[in-house]
Amino acid sequence: MGFPAFIIVYGDTIIYKNFHKMNLSHIEHIGIAVKSIAEAKKYFEDVLGLECYAIEEVKDQKVKTAFFKIGQTKIELLEPISEDSPVAKFIAKRGEGIHHIAFATDDVNQALKEAEEKGVKLIDKQKRKGAEGLNIGFLHPKFTFGVLTEFCEKP
């Protein structure tokens, strides 16, 4: 069973319009790629006055993370722990900076499915475990205006 939808064609451009909206509740976090969490942490704590509440290693993503919270949104610092990690490759290509934006949802798999049905290429076909024990899934940035997009859900 699908949701009501229509397709508009303008020359070579196809616009798919689906009346169902993904159940995204808020920006869960903004991921920032850094060479050193220890160095970046000083800025967020000493200059901005934020408190780092968690540091963890996510081995399958070859990254160490540090989290800060401001309002309902978190900032996630991402430090590569391997030269072949996606974050290390990102830093080598683009330098330190905003790596991704993550949206909270109650169903990552459904959000991924809906994005794919609307023509967005997925990095993850199914949810997987991420930092803080969240279930996560990524959309390819070539289909999201250059912004690596993540969906997150609490298990």
Side-chain angles (χ1 to χ4, degrees):
M1 179 170 121
F3 297 99
F6 62 91
I7 296 174
I8 301 172
V9 180
Y10 294 107
D12 293 336
T13 305
I14 298 173
I15 300 171
Y16 178 84
K17 195 73 173 162
N18 187 328
F19 292 108
H20 180 263
K21 301 241 189 260
M22 286 183 202
N23 193 15
L24 305 180
S25 60
H26 62 281
I27 294 174
E28 209 283 332
H29 67 270
I30 297 169
I32 301 174
V34 299
K35 293 177 184 173
S36 166
I37 282 177
E39 288 300 312
K41 199 169 153 249
K42 292 176 191 175
Y43 166 73
F44 287 91
E45 291 181 332
D46 298 344
V47 176
L48 299 180
L50 302 177
E51 182 181 340
C52 178
Y53 69 85
I55 295 178
E56 72 175 280
E57 203 170 281
V58 184
K59 291 186 192 276
D60 68 323
Q61 294 178 36
K62 301 176 185 175
V63 71
K64 181 165 78 170
T65 64
F67 284 93
F68 302 83
K69 194 160 189 175
I70 181 161
Q72 189 178 9
T73 304
K74 294 180 257 181
I75 296 172
E76 176 187 34
L77 301 181
L78 303 151
E79 175 187 324
I81 57 173
S82 172
E83 290 180 17
D84 67 339
S85 76
V87 173
K89 291 174 186 174
F90 176 91
I91 291 172
K93 186 176 180 180
R94 297 185 178 188
E96 296 176 292
I98 293 178
H99 179 261
H100 68 272
I101 186 165
F103 296 95
T105 180
D106 59 0
D107 190 338
V108 168
N109 285 338
Q110 182 62 34
L112 290 169
K113 180 182 174 195
E114 289 177 33
E116 186 174 44
E117 287 172 352
K118 294 175 183 176
V120 177
K121 183 177 178 184
L122 306 180
I123 292 175
D124 298 303
K125 295 273 187 188
Q126 294 288 318
K127 65 186 173 187
R128 59 185 162 104
K129 283 293 177 199
E132 295 193 302
L134 295 176
N135 294 321
I136 64 169
F138 284 92
L139 306 180
H140 199 288
K142 286 186 179 176
F143 292 79
T144 57
F145 301 94
V147 178
L148 181 61
T149 302
E150 178 182 13
F151 297 131
C152 300
E153 75 179 26
K154 292 181 181 177

